[in-house]
Short mmCIF file of all heavy atoms in Angstrom, two decimals:
data_model
loop_
_atom_site.label_atom_id
_atom_site.label_comp_id
_atom_site.label_asym_id
_atom_site.label_seq_id
_atom_site.Cartn_x
_atom_site.Cartn_y
_atom_site.Cartn_z
N MET A 441 -1.38 13.13 -4.74
CA MET A 441 -1.61 12.07 -5.70
C MET A 441 -2.19 10.85 -4.99
O MET A 441 -1.73 10.45 -3.94
CB MET A 441 -0.27 11.69 -6.33
CG MET A 441 -0.38 10.66 -7.43
SD MET A 441 -0.95 11.39 -8.95
CE MET A 441 0.47 12.35 -9.43
N LYS A 442 -3.22 10.28 -5.61
CA LYS A 442 -3.75 9.01 -5.13
C LYS A 442 -3.57 7.98 -6.23
O LYS A 442 -3.45 8.32 -7.39
CB LYS A 442 -5.25 9.14 -4.83
CG LYS A 442 -5.58 9.80 -3.52
CD LYS A 442 -7.08 9.71 -3.30
CE LYS A 442 -7.50 10.45 -2.05
NZ LYS A 442 -8.96 10.43 -1.88
N PHE A 443 -3.61 6.73 -5.83
CA PHE A 443 -3.48 5.64 -6.81
C PHE A 443 -4.72 4.77 -6.74
O PHE A 443 -5.43 4.74 -5.73
CB PHE A 443 -2.22 4.82 -6.53
CG PHE A 443 -0.96 5.59 -6.79
CD1 PHE A 443 -0.44 6.44 -5.81
CD2 PHE A 443 -0.32 5.51 -8.00
CE1 PHE A 443 0.70 7.20 -6.06
CE2 PHE A 443 0.83 6.25 -8.25
CZ PHE A 443 1.34 7.10 -7.28
N LYS A 444 -4.97 4.07 -7.84
CA LYS A 444 -6.16 3.23 -7.91
C LYS A 444 -5.79 1.92 -8.60
O LYS A 444 -5.00 1.92 -9.53
CB LYS A 444 -7.23 3.98 -8.72
CG LYS A 444 -8.58 3.30 -8.75
CD LYS A 444 -9.58 4.20 -9.45
CE LYS A 444 -11.01 3.71 -9.37
NZ LYS A 444 -11.22 2.30 -9.37
N VAL A 445 -6.37 0.83 -8.11
CA VAL A 445 -6.16 -0.46 -8.75
C VAL A 445 -7.46 -0.90 -9.42
O VAL A 445 -8.52 -0.91 -8.78
CB VAL A 445 -5.72 -1.53 -7.72
CG1 VAL A 445 -5.58 -2.90 -8.40
CG2 VAL A 445 -4.40 -1.13 -7.06
N ASP A 446 -7.37 -1.24 -10.68
CA ASP A 446 -8.52 -1.81 -11.39
C ASP A 446 -8.56 -3.31 -11.08
O ASP A 446 -7.75 -4.08 -11.60
CB ASP A 446 -8.35 -1.57 -12.89
CG ASP A 446 -9.46 -2.19 -13.71
OD1 ASP A 446 -10.33 -2.89 -13.13
OD2 ASP A 446 -9.48 -2.00 -14.94
N GLU A 447 -9.48 -3.68 -10.23
CA GLU A 447 -9.52 -5.08 -9.78
C GLU A 447 -9.80 -6.06 -10.92
O GLU A 447 -9.41 -7.22 -10.85
CB GLU A 447 -10.58 -5.26 -8.68
CG GLU A 447 -10.10 -4.73 -7.36
CD GLU A 447 -11.05 -5.09 -6.22
OE1 GLU A 447 -11.85 -6.03 -6.38
OE2 GLU A 447 -10.99 -4.39 -5.19
N SER A 448 -10.46 -5.58 -11.95
CA SER A 448 -10.76 -6.49 -13.06
C SER A 448 -9.50 -6.77 -13.88
O SER A 448 -9.44 -7.75 -14.62
CB SER A 448 -11.85 -5.91 -13.96
OG SER A 448 -11.41 -4.75 -14.60
N ALA A 449 -8.48 -5.91 -13.75
CA ALA A 449 -7.23 -6.12 -14.48
C ALA A 449 -6.17 -6.78 -13.61
O ALA A 449 -5.27 -7.46 -14.12
CB ALA A 449 -6.70 -4.78 -15.01
N CYS A 450 -6.25 -6.61 -12.30
CA CYS A 450 -5.24 -7.16 -11.39
C CYS A 450 -5.30 -8.68 -11.40
O CYS A 450 -6.37 -9.27 -11.33
CB CYS A 450 -5.51 -6.64 -9.97
SG CYS A 450 -4.47 -7.39 -8.71
N ILE A 451 -4.11 -9.30 -11.50
CA ILE A 451 -4.05 -10.77 -11.45
C ILE A 451 -3.53 -11.26 -10.09
O ILE A 451 -3.24 -12.44 -9.91
CB ILE A 451 -3.17 -11.34 -12.59
CG1 ILE A 451 -1.76 -10.73 -12.55
CG2 ILE A 451 -3.83 -11.11 -13.95
CD1 ILE A 451 -0.76 -11.39 -13.50
N GLY A 452 -3.37 -10.32 -9.18
CA GLY A 452 -3.00 -10.70 -7.81
C GLY A 452 -1.57 -11.16 -7.64
O GLY A 452 -1.27 -11.93 -6.73
N CYS A 453 -0.68 -10.67 -8.49
CA CYS A 453 0.71 -11.13 -8.40
C CYS A 453 1.41 -10.61 -7.16
O CYS A 453 2.40 -11.19 -6.72
CB CYS A 453 1.49 -10.74 -9.66
SG CYS A 453 1.89 -8.99 -9.74
N GLY A 454 0.95 -9.51 -6.62
CA GLY A 454 1.51 -8.99 -5.37
C GLY A 454 2.73 -8.12 -5.52
O GLY A 454 3.30 -7.67 -4.53
N ALA A 455 3.16 -7.87 -6.75
CA ALA A 455 4.38 -7.08 -6.94
C ALA A 455 4.23 -5.68 -6.34
O ALA A 455 5.16 -5.16 -5.72
CB ALA A 455 4.71 -6.99 -8.43
N CYS A 456 3.09 -5.08 -6.55
CA CYS A 456 2.92 -3.69 -6.08
C CYS A 456 3.02 -3.60 -4.55
O CYS A 456 3.58 -2.65 -4.01
CB CYS A 456 1.59 -3.11 -6.57
SG CYS A 456 0.15 -4.09 -6.11
N THR A 457 2.50 -4.60 -3.86
CA THR A 457 2.55 -4.57 -2.40
C THR A 457 3.98 -4.80 -1.91
O THR A 457 4.36 -4.30 -0.86
CB THR A 457 1.60 -5.61 -1.78
OG1 THR A 457 1.97 -6.90 -2.24
CG2 THR A 457 0.17 -5.33 -2.16
N CYS A 458 4.77 -5.56 -2.67
CA CYS A 458 6.18 -5.75 -2.30
C CYS A 458 6.95 -4.45 -2.49
O CYS A 458 7.80 -4.11 -1.66
CB CYS A 458 6.83 -6.83 -3.16
SG CYS A 458 6.27 -8.47 -2.74
N ILE A 459 6.68 -3.75 -3.57
CA ILE A 459 7.44 -2.53 -3.87
C ILE A 459 6.99 -1.39 -2.96
O ILE A 459 7.80 -0.59 -2.50
CB ILE A 459 7.27 -2.14 -5.35
CG1 ILE A 459 7.88 -3.22 -6.23
CG2 ILE A 459 7.88 -0.78 -5.64
CD1 ILE A 459 7.56 -3.08 -7.71
N CYS A 460 5.70 -1.30 -2.68
CA CYS A 460 5.20 -0.14 -1.93
C CYS A 460 4.02 -0.54 -1.05
O CYS A 460 2.87 -0.29 -1.39
CB CYS A 460 4.79 0.96 -2.91
SG CYS A 460 4.33 2.48 -2.06
N ASP A 461 4.34 -1.11 0.10
CA ASP A 461 3.24 -1.54 0.99
C ASP A 461 2.64 -0.38 1.77
O ASP A 461 1.67 -0.56 2.50
CB ASP A 461 3.69 -2.67 1.92
CG ASP A 461 4.77 -2.25 2.89
OD1 ASP A 461 5.21 -1.08 2.85
OD2 ASP A 461 5.19 -3.09 3.70
N LYS A 462 3.21 0.81 1.59
CA LYS A 462 2.58 1.97 2.25
C LYS A 462 1.31 2.38 1.50
O LYS A 462 0.43 3.03 2.07
CB LYS A 462 3.55 3.15 2.28
CG LYS A 462 4.66 2.96 3.29
CD LYS A 462 5.57 4.19 3.31
CE LYS A 462 7.02 3.76 3.42
NZ LYS A 462 7.91 4.58 2.63
N VAL A 463 1.25 2.04 0.23
CA VAL A 463 0.10 2.46 -0.58
C VAL A 463 -0.77 1.27 -0.99
O VAL A 463 -2.00 1.36 -0.98
CB VAL A 463 0.57 3.23 -1.84
CG1 VAL A 463 -0.61 3.55 -2.76
CG2 VAL A 463 1.29 4.51 -1.43
N PHE A 464 -0.14 0.14 -1.31
CA PHE A 464 -0.91 -1.00 -1.83
C PHE A 464 -0.98 -2.14 -0.82
O PHE A 464 0.01 -2.43 -0.13
CB PHE A 464 -0.28 -1.51 -3.13
CG PHE A 464 -0.17 -0.44 -4.18
CD1 PHE A 464 1.04 0.19 -4.43
CD2 PHE A 464 -1.28 -0.03 -4.89
CE1 PHE A 464 1.14 1.21 -5.38
CE2 PHE A 464 -1.20 0.99 -5.84
CZ PHE A 464 0.02 1.60 -6.09
N GLU A 465 -2.13 -2.76 -0.74
CA GLU A 465 -2.28 -3.93 0.13
C GLU A 465 -3.17 -4.94 -0.59
O GLU A 465 -3.94 -4.58 -1.47
CB GLU A 465 -2.87 -3.53 1.49
CG GLU A 465 -4.20 -2.85 1.40
CD GLU A 465 -4.62 -2.21 2.72
OE1 GLU A 465 -3.88 -2.31 3.71
OE2 GLU A 465 -5.70 -1.60 2.73
N MET A 466 -3.03 -6.21 -0.18
CA MET A 466 -3.84 -7.24 -0.81
C MET A 466 -5.17 -7.34 -0.07
O MET A 466 -5.22 -7.34 1.17
CB MET A 466 -3.13 -8.59 -0.77
CG MET A 466 -1.79 -8.63 -1.51
SD MET A 466 -1.87 -8.06 -3.24
CE MET A 466 -2.67 -9.45 -4.03
N SER A 467 -6.24 -7.46 -0.81
CA SER A 467 -7.56 -7.64 -0.20
C SER A 467 -7.77 -9.12 0.09
O SER A 467 -7.00 -9.97 -0.37
CB SER A 467 -8.64 -7.14 -1.16
OG SER A 467 -8.76 -8.06 -2.23
N ASP A 468 -8.81 -9.42 0.82
CA ASP A 468 -9.13 -10.81 1.13
C ASP A 468 -9.46 -11.60 -0.15
O ASP A 468 -9.37 -12.82 -0.17
CB ASP A 468 -10.30 -10.89 2.10
CG ASP A 468 -9.92 -10.35 3.47
OD1 ASP A 468 -8.70 -10.27 3.76
OD2 ASP A 468 -10.82 -9.99 4.24
N ASP A 469 -9.84 -10.87 -1.20
CA ASP A 469 -10.17 -11.53 -2.47
C ASP A 469 -8.94 -11.89 -3.28
O ASP A 469 -9.03 -12.50 -4.33
CB ASP A 469 -11.03 -10.60 -3.34
CG ASP A 469 -12.34 -10.26 -2.66
OD1 ASP A 469 -12.80 -11.07 -1.87
OD2 ASP A 469 -12.88 -9.17 -2.94
N GLY A 470 -7.76 -11.45 -2.80
CA GLY A 470 -6.53 -11.77 -3.52
C GLY A 470 -6.13 -10.74 -4.55
O GLY A 470 -5.24 -10.99 -5.37
N TYR A 471 -6.79 -9.59 -4.53
CA TYR A 471 -6.43 -8.52 -5.45
C TYR A 471 -5.84 -7.36 -4.65
O TYR A 471 -6.10 -7.21 -3.45
CB TYR A 471 -7.64 -8.03 -6.24
CG TYR A 471 -8.25 -9.12 -7.07
CD1 TYR A 471 -9.47 -9.69 -6.73
CD2 TYR A 471 -7.58 -9.59 -8.20
CE1 TYR A 471 -10.01 -10.72 -7.48
CE2 TYR A 471 -8.10 -10.62 -8.95
CZ TYR A 471 -9.32 -11.18 -8.59
OH TYR A 471 -9.83 -12.20 -9.34
N ALA A 472 -5.06 -6.55 -5.35
CA ALA A 472 -4.48 -5.39 -4.66
C ALA A 472 -5.50 -4.26 -4.59
O ALA A 472 -6.35 -4.11 -5.47
CB ALA A 472 -3.25 -4.91 -5.43
N VAL A 473 -5.41 -3.51 -3.52
CA VAL A 473 -6.18 -2.27 -3.41
C VAL A 473 -5.21 -1.17 -3.00
O VAL A 473 -4.25 -1.41 -2.28
CB VAL A 473 -7.34 -2.36 -2.39
CG1 VAL A 473 -8.45 -3.24 -2.89
CG2 VAL A 473 -6.86 -2.84 -1.04
N ALA A 474 -5.51 0.04 -3.46
CA ALA A 474 -4.70 1.19 -3.05
C ALA A 474 -5.40 1.86 -1.89
O ALA A 474 -6.62 2.05 -1.91
CB ALA A 474 -4.55 2.15 -4.22
N LYS A 475 -4.63 2.20 -0.87
CA LYS A 475 -5.22 2.89 0.27
C LYS A 475 -5.75 4.25 -0.19
O LYS A 475 -5.13 4.91 -1.02
CB LYS A 475 -4.17 3.06 1.37
CG LYS A 475 -3.73 1.72 1.91
CD LYS A 475 -2.59 1.84 2.90
CE LYS A 475 -2.05 0.46 3.22
NZ LYS A 475 -0.83 0.47 4.03
N ASP A 476 -6.88 4.61 0.35
CA ASP A 476 -7.53 5.84 -0.09
C ASP A 476 -6.96 7.05 0.65
O ASP A 476 -7.65 7.72 1.39
CB ASP A 476 -9.04 5.72 0.15
CG ASP A 476 -9.79 6.87 -0.50
OD1 ASP A 476 -9.28 7.44 -1.49
OD2 ASP A 476 -10.88 7.21 0.00
N GLU A 477 -5.67 7.25 0.45
CA GLU A 477 -4.99 8.37 1.11
C GLU A 477 -4.14 9.07 0.07
O GLU A 477 -3.56 8.42 -0.79
CB GLU A 477 -4.04 7.86 2.21
CG GLU A 477 -4.73 7.30 3.40
CD GLU A 477 -3.73 6.54 4.30
OE1 GLU A 477 -2.52 6.75 4.15
OE2 GLU A 477 -4.20 5.74 5.11
N LYS A 478 -4.07 10.37 0.22
CA LYS A 478 -3.18 11.11 -0.67
C LYS A 478 -1.74 10.77 -0.34
O LYS A 478 -1.35 10.74 0.82
CB LYS A 478 -3.36 12.61 -0.45
CG LYS A 478 -4.16 13.27 -1.52
CD LYS A 478 -4.11 14.77 -1.35
CE LYS A 478 -5.31 15.40 -1.98
NZ LYS A 478 -5.41 16.81 -1.66
N VAL A 479 -0.95 10.51 -1.38
CA VAL A 479 0.48 10.28 -1.18
C VAL A 479 1.18 11.61 -1.37
O VAL A 479 1.10 12.22 -2.43
CB VAL A 479 1.01 9.25 -2.20
CG1 VAL A 479 2.49 9.00 -1.99
CG2 VAL A 479 0.22 7.95 -2.09
N THR A 480 1.86 12.05 -0.33
CA THR A 480 2.48 13.38 -0.42
C THR A 480 4.01 13.32 -0.34
O THR A 480 4.67 14.14 -0.94
CB THR A 480 1.95 14.30 0.70
OG1 THR A 480 2.09 13.62 1.94
CG2 THR A 480 0.51 14.67 0.47
N ASP A 481 4.55 12.36 0.41
CA ASP A 481 6.02 12.41 0.51
C ASP A 481 6.67 11.75 -0.71
O ASP A 481 6.14 10.80 -1.29
CB ASP A 481 6.52 11.81 1.84
CG ASP A 481 6.41 10.31 1.86
OD1 ASP A 481 5.28 9.82 2.00
OD2 ASP A 481 7.44 9.65 1.71
N LYS A 482 7.82 12.32 -1.08
CA LYS A 482 8.44 11.95 -2.34
C LYS A 482 8.86 10.48 -2.38
O LYS A 482 8.69 9.82 -3.40
CB LYS A 482 9.66 12.86 -2.58
CG LYS A 482 10.27 12.63 -3.94
CD LYS A 482 11.39 13.59 -4.23
CE LYS A 482 12.02 13.38 -5.59
NZ LYS A 482 12.03 12.02 -6.10
N GLU A 483 9.38 9.99 -1.29
CA GLU A 483 9.85 8.60 -1.27
C GLU A 483 8.70 7.63 -1.56
O GLU A 483 8.82 6.72 -2.38
CB GLU A 483 10.47 8.30 0.09
CG GLU A 483 11.21 6.99 0.12
CD GLU A 483 11.72 6.66 1.53
OE1 GLU A 483 11.97 7.60 2.32
OE2 GLU A 483 11.86 5.47 1.83
N THR A 484 7.58 7.86 -0.90
CA THR A 484 6.42 6.99 -1.12
C THR A 484 5.87 7.15 -2.53
O THR A 484 5.49 6.17 -3.18
CB THR A 484 5.32 7.30 -0.09
OG1 THR A 484 5.89 7.27 1.21
CG2 THR A 484 4.18 6.30 -0.17
N LEU A 485 5.87 8.38 -3.00
CA LEU A 485 5.39 8.65 -4.36
C LEU A 485 6.27 7.92 -5.39
O LEU A 485 5.76 7.31 -6.34
CB LEU A 485 5.41 10.16 -4.61
CG LEU A 485 4.65 10.69 -5.80
CD1 LEU A 485 3.19 10.24 -5.77
CD2 LEU A 485 4.72 12.21 -5.82
N ASP A 486 7.58 7.94 -5.17
CA ASP A 486 8.49 7.25 -6.09
C ASP A 486 8.25 5.74 -6.05
O ASP A 486 8.22 5.08 -7.10
CB ASP A 486 9.95 7.54 -5.71
CG ASP A 486 10.39 8.94 -6.11
OD1 ASP A 486 9.64 9.60 -6.85
OD2 ASP A 486 11.47 9.36 -5.68
N GLU A 487 8.04 5.20 -4.86
CA GLU A 487 7.79 3.76 -4.73
C GLU A 487 6.48 3.38 -5.39
O GLU A 487 6.39 2.37 -6.09
CB GLU A 487 7.73 3.36 -3.25
CG GLU A 487 9.08 3.30 -2.57
CD GLU A 487 8.97 2.97 -1.09
OE1 GLU A 487 7.86 2.69 -0.58
OE2 GLU A 487 10.01 3.01 -0.43
N ALA A 488 5.46 4.18 -5.15
CA ALA A 488 4.14 3.86 -5.71
C ALA A 488 4.17 3.98 -7.23
O ALA A 488 3.54 3.18 -7.93
CB ALA A 488 3.09 4.80 -5.12
N THR A 489 4.92 4.95 -7.73
CA THR A 489 5.04 5.11 -9.19
C THR A 489 5.79 3.92 -9.79
O THR A 489 5.41 3.39 -10.84
CB THR A 489 5.78 6.43 -9.52
OG1 THR A 489 5.03 7.50 -8.95
CG2 THR A 489 5.89 6.63 -11.02
N GLU A 490 6.83 3.47 -9.09
CA GLU A 490 7.57 2.29 -9.55
C GLU A 490 6.64 1.07 -9.58
O GLU A 490 6.66 0.28 -10.52
CB GLU A 490 8.75 2.04 -8.60
CG GLU A 490 9.67 0.93 -9.05
CD GLU A 490 10.77 0.65 -8.02
OE1 GLU A 490 11.07 1.53 -7.19
OE2 GLU A 490 11.29 -0.48 -8.04
N ALA A 491 5.81 0.93 -8.55
CA ALA A 491 4.86 -0.18 -8.49
C ALA A 491 3.87 -0.10 -9.65
O ALA A 491 3.56 -1.10 -10.30
CB ALA A 491 4.13 -0.18 -7.15
N MET A 492 3.40 1.12 -9.91
CA MET A 492 2.44 1.31 -11.00
C MET A 492 3.08 0.91 -12.33
O MET A 492 2.47 0.18 -13.14
CB MET A 492 2.01 2.79 -11.04
CG MET A 492 1.09 3.12 -12.17
SD MET A 492 0.56 4.84 -12.12
CE MET A 492 2.08 5.67 -12.53
N GLU A 493 4.31 1.37 -12.55
CA GLU A 493 4.98 1.08 -13.82
C GLU A 493 5.36 -0.39 -13.94
O GLU A 493 5.48 -0.92 -15.04
CB GLU A 493 6.22 1.99 -13.96
CG GLU A 493 5.81 3.44 -14.17
CD GLU A 493 6.99 4.41 -14.12
OE1 GLU A 493 8.10 3.98 -13.76
OE2 GLU A 493 6.76 5.60 -14.42
N GLY A 494 5.53 -1.06 -12.79
CA GLY A 494 5.95 -2.46 -12.82
C GLY A 494 4.80 -3.45 -12.85
O GLY A 494 5.03 -4.65 -13.02
N CYS A 495 3.60 -2.97 -12.70
CA CYS A 495 2.46 -3.90 -12.69
C CYS A 495 2.35 -4.60 -14.05
O CYS A 495 2.28 -3.94 -15.08
CB CYS A 495 1.17 -3.15 -12.39
SG CYS A 495 -0.27 -4.22 -12.56
N PRO A 496 2.35 -5.93 -14.06
CA PRO A 496 2.36 -6.66 -15.34
C PRO A 496 1.11 -6.46 -16.18
O PRO A 496 1.14 -6.69 -17.39
CB PRO A 496 2.52 -8.12 -14.92
CG PRO A 496 2.08 -8.18 -13.50
CD PRO A 496 2.41 -6.84 -12.90
N THR A 497 0.03 -6.06 -15.55
CA THR A 497 -1.21 -5.89 -16.34
C THR A 497 -1.64 -4.42 -16.42
O THR A 497 -2.77 -4.13 -16.83
CB THR A 497 -2.35 -6.71 -15.73
OG1 THR A 497 -2.59 -6.24 -14.40
CG2 THR A 497 -2.01 -8.19 -15.69
N SER A 498 -0.78 -3.53 -15.98
CA SER A 498 -1.09 -2.09 -15.99
C SER A 498 -2.41 -1.79 -15.29
O SER A 498 -3.21 -0.97 -15.75
CB SER A 498 -1.14 -1.54 -17.43
OG SER A 498 0.10 -1.77 -18.06
N ALA A 499 -2.62 -2.48 -14.16
CA ALA A 499 -3.89 -2.31 -13.44
C ALA A 499 -3.91 -1.06 -12.56
O ALA A 499 -4.97 -0.67 -12.07
CB ALA A 499 -4.15 -3.55 -12.58
N ILE A 500 -2.74 -0.46 -12.36
CA ILE A 500 -2.65 0.68 -11.44
C ILE A 500 -2.64 1.98 -12.23
O ILE A 500 -1.92 2.11 -13.22
CB ILE A 500 -1.37 0.58 -10.59
CG1 ILE A 500 -1.35 -0.75 -9.81
CG2 ILE A 500 -1.27 1.78 -9.64
CD1 ILE A 500 -0.01 -1.03 -9.13
N THR A 501 -3.44 2.92 -11.79
CA THR A 501 -3.45 4.24 -12.42
C THR A 501 -3.33 5.31 -11.35
O THR A 501 -3.62 5.07 -10.18
CB THR A 501 -4.76 4.49 -13.21
OG1 THR A 501 -5.86 4.18 -12.36
CG2 THR A 501 -4.82 3.62 -14.45
N GLU A 502 -2.93 6.49 -11.79
CA GLU A 502 -2.87 7.65 -10.88
C GLU A 502 -4.20 8.36 -10.92
O GLU A 502 -4.84 8.44 -11.96
CB GLU A 502 -1.84 8.68 -11.36
CG GLU A 502 -0.45 8.20 -11.49
CD GLU A 502 0.44 9.28 -12.12
OE1 GLU A 502 -0.08 10.18 -12.83
OE2 GLU A 502 1.62 9.21 -11.90
N GLN A 503 -4.58 8.88 -9.78
CA GLN A 503 -5.78 9.71 -9.73
C GLN A 503 -5.33 11.15 -9.59
O GLN A 503 -4.65 11.49 -8.62
CB GLN A 503 -6.63 9.34 -8.51
CG GLN A 503 -7.01 7.87 -8.48
CD GLN A 503 -7.97 7.53 -9.60
OE1 GLN A 503 -9.10 7.99 -9.60
NE2 GLN A 503 -7.52 6.75 -10.55
N LYS A 504 -5.67 11.95 -10.54
CA LYS A 504 -5.27 13.35 -10.47
C LYS A 504 -6.00 14.05 -9.33
O LYS A 504 -7.13 13.70 -9.00
CB LYS A 504 -5.60 14.08 -11.79
CG LYS A 504 -4.85 13.49 -12.96
CD LYS A 504 -3.38 13.86 -12.92
CE LYS A 504 -2.63 13.23 -14.07
NZ LYS A 504 -1.23 12.96 -13.77
N GLU A 505 -5.33 15.02 -8.76
CA GLU A 505 -5.94 15.78 -7.65
C GLU A 505 -7.09 16.63 -8.20
O GLU A 505 -7.08 17.03 -9.34
CB GLU A 505 -4.91 16.72 -7.04
CG GLU A 505 -3.55 16.10 -6.88
CD GLU A 505 -3.29 15.67 -5.46
OE1 GLU A 505 -3.95 16.23 -4.59
OE2 GLU A 505 -2.44 14.81 -5.25
N ASP A 506 -8.05 16.89 -7.36
CA ASP A 506 -9.18 17.73 -7.76
C ASP A 506 -8.72 19.18 -7.87
O ASP A 506 -7.89 19.63 -7.13
CB ASP A 506 -10.30 17.64 -6.75
CG ASP A 506 -10.84 16.20 -6.68
OD1 ASP A 506 -10.74 15.51 -7.71
OD2 ASP A 506 -11.31 15.83 -5.62
FE1 LIG B 1123 -2.31 -6.64 -9.14
FE2 LIG B 1123 -0.58 -5.35 -10.57
FE3 LIG B 1123 -0.40 -5.29 -8.01
S1 LIG B 1123 -1.45 -7.34 -11.04
S2 LIG B 1123 -1.22 -7.25 -7.31
S3 LIG B 1123 -2.06 -4.45 -9.21
S4 LIG B 1123 1.29 -5.40 -9.41
#
């Protein structure tokens, strides 16, 4: 599973990076970006899913595997 942040929806609150800094990081522009890596371990997947569900603007989506 990969995650994606829609920068046009992100308001830069930083919640996702607090919940799961293994997957999300803040860009120099002040928006979150998801690292372009497959998330495979369950703990990280749970954290990233929590971050996705907690995003106030629903800017985070899951990318289905090919
Ligand atoms: Fe942006 Fe949502 Fe994270 S607003 S900083 S993607 S929690």
